Amino acid sequence: MAESVGTCANCGAATATSRRKHARYCSNACRQRAYRQRVNEPVTALDSFIGRGDELSCLTTLQDTRVLTLIGPAGVGKTRLAKEFAGDAAWVELAPVDRGVARACVTALGIGEVADEPPLSTLVHALADKQLLLVLDNCEHVVAECAAVLEPLLLGCPEVRVIATSREPLRVPGEVLFAVRPLPLNYAVELFTDRARSNQLGLRLDNSEVLAALCARLDRLPLAIELAARLVTVLPVPELLARLDDRLELLNRGNRTAAERHQSLRAAIEWSYDHLSADEQHVFRCLSQFPGGFGLDIAVAACGLPADRVLALLSALVTKSLLTPAGGGRFEQLESVRLYGREKVAELSP
């Protein structure tokens, strides 16, 4: 794969990028500096919020929950839903944090660190008598550390509530899970129409069947729909629909200010895949050959592992929002996720 040179979003230095990797910063140091610059900025959205009214109503009934975790697959809109629901809550973006969740919280909340005191102790002492709604965004790669921080935090700070977004549960006492699903088809079409017309004023979109087919093929995922809507300036919608088998190449024009994993559909799915164990990755790839779903017997035959091991790995992939139970002991992958799996198979084939 040929490499090209990009520019670091923080310092302007050259960054090496490739077709599959989307480097926004030249180093981890620049990534952390950019994070520290953003943590205290207000969390706002500049575009319209479409199709989640029922979810917001349901979340309102859970507003007194101590730990509420929004879970769902890549690109389903967990962060955006949390922004709409949590309003002006304290916000901690964990995507750029490899370790140090407590320190990230201390930094985001503007709490001064205390010499010779662990950041978690500083955080608990500072919030012990505070009433606060804290949002931990993108927890999936640090779920164990989030759990280790949240239990003492909630025990020591009775008026603190937490909303987390993650592709898998945190598994802490008192956690309530809220599954964020792909949009209903009518709202998916409304979202595509809204974003497409923003990209090309005066655009006519009068073929409802093609629009519905396009959004269905995109798994009704908001990220995929918004990325596709950017292409209406160069591709008519019917041609865009016809090219969706190549969507991982096509859908790569995210907002410049978006997180790295939201710059393209491939990057969003890759974020999940890269955090799987080797066995989970193996099963994920093996299952990508079944567009109509599969049962345990087919999964065992495809993966070449004992049935109890395959079942455990299927459960892990369901937990990590990369596999969906389809009823009757069957499982499915979203089409975009399955296409990514097929791509990884092709990469690793001799």
Side-chain angles (χ1 to χ4, degrees):
M1 292 180 289
E3 291 195 342
S4 60
V5 176
T7 302
C8 177
N10 186 63
C11 71
T15 62
T17 62
S18 71
R19 185 168 69 90
R20 300 187 190 285
K21 298 295 183 183
H22 308 268
R24 226 177 137 197
Y25 303 102
C26 64
S27 66
N28 283 332
C30 268
R31 181 179 287 105
Q32 291 294 332
R33 276 193 288 272
Y35 167 65
R36 286 193 292 271
Q37 291 165 7
R38 293 196 310 267
V39 287
N40 289 319
E41 293 177 0
V43 178
T44 58
L46 299 176
D47 50 16
S48 53
F49 183 63
I50 293 173
R52 296 293 191 189
D54 290 344
E55 285 91 336
L56 285 175
S57 296
C58 186
L59 287 171
T60 300
T61 68
L62 302 171
Q63 60 187 358
D64 294 328
T65 302
R66 294 297 306 281
V67 185
L68 176 61
T69 304
L70 311 186
I71 58 170
V76 79
K78 301 179 293 294
T79 295
R80 183 60 192 275
L81 180 59
K83 287 179 181 179
E84 295 294 327
F85 176 61
D88 59 356
W91 196 277
V92 184
E93 170 56 66
L94 292 177
V97 177
D98 295 326
R99 58 185 179 276
V101 170
R103 177 167 278 109
C105 293
V106 167
T107 301
L109 296 174
I111 300 169
E113 292 196 42
V114 179
D116 300 323
E117 183 177 55
L120 178 55
S121 298
T122 301
L123 181 65
V124 172
H125 292 158
L127 301 183
D129 59 352
K130 297 289 193 301
Q131 187 176 60
L132 180 72
L133 176 59
L134 180 67
V135 179
L136 301 180
D137 191 31
N138 298 296
C139 299
E140 54 270 355
H141 61 303
V142 285
V143 285
E145 190 177 352
C146 283
V149 167
L150 285 185
E151 189 163 357
L153 176 66
L154 295 173
L155 287 172
C157 308
E159 295 301 317
V160 170
R161 294 181 294 114
V162 174
I163 295 174
T165 72
S166 179
R167 297 181 192 182
E168 64 176 292
L170 305 184
R171 288 167 37 200
V172 295
E175 179 182 30
V176 173
L177 300 178
F178 185 90
V180 183
R181 311 288 187 188
L183 287 169
L185 187 57
N186 61 320
Y187 287 125
V189 170
E190 182 181 345
L191 177 65
F192 179 85
T193 301
D194 178 84
R195 301 302 193 257
R197 287 175 173 159
S198 295
N199 283 292
Q200 184 172 320
L201 296 177
L203 178 68
R204 293 189 61 184
L205 295 169
D206 48 14
N207 191 329
S208 59
E209 290 185 3
V210 171
L211 291 174
L214 175 72
C215 293
R217 287 285 312 277
L218 292 172
D219 302 307
R220 297 173 285 119
L221 291 174
L223 176 63
I225 291 167
E226 295 199 12
L227 290 170
R230 290 182 176 274
L231 295 175
V232 297
T233 57
V234 292
L235 285 175
V237 173
E239 186 171 348
L240 178 56
L241 174 60
R243 291 176 176 269
L244 284 187
D245 282 348
D246 199 30
R247 72 189 66 180
L248 298 177
E249 284 295 314
L250 281 174
L251 305 183
N252 60 5
R253 297 175 58 195
N255 289 328
R256 295 184 192 277
T257 56
E260 290 176 48
R261 69 194 180 283
H262 288 159
Q263 291 290 328
S264 72
L265 184 59
R266 176 185 283 116
I269 301 171
E270 190 168 61
W271 172 265
S272 293
Y273 178 83
D274 285 348
H275 289 95
L276 298 178
S277 70
D279 280 353
E280 289 167 349
Q281 289 181 351
H282 168 71
V283 171
F284 174 87
R285 294 191 302 268
C286 290
L287 301 179
S288 66
Q289 63 184 299
F290 303 113
F294 53 87
L296 177 60
D297 52 346
I298 293 177
V300 170
C303 298
L305 296 171
D308 57 349
R309 181 61 180 151
V310 172
L311 185 58
L313 291 166
L314 291 177
S315 177
L317 292 176
V318 169
T319 297
K320 296 178 180 183
S321 303
L322 286 168
L323 202 60
T324 304
R330 293 181 61 79
F331 302 87
E332 294 177 338
Q333 287 178 320
L334 296 175
E335 184 176 354
S336 299
V337 171
R338 187 175 60 80
L339 290 174
Y340 180 84
R342 288 174 55 187
E343 184 179 88
K344 299 303 292 186
V345 171
E347 279 183 21
L348 296 173
S349 297

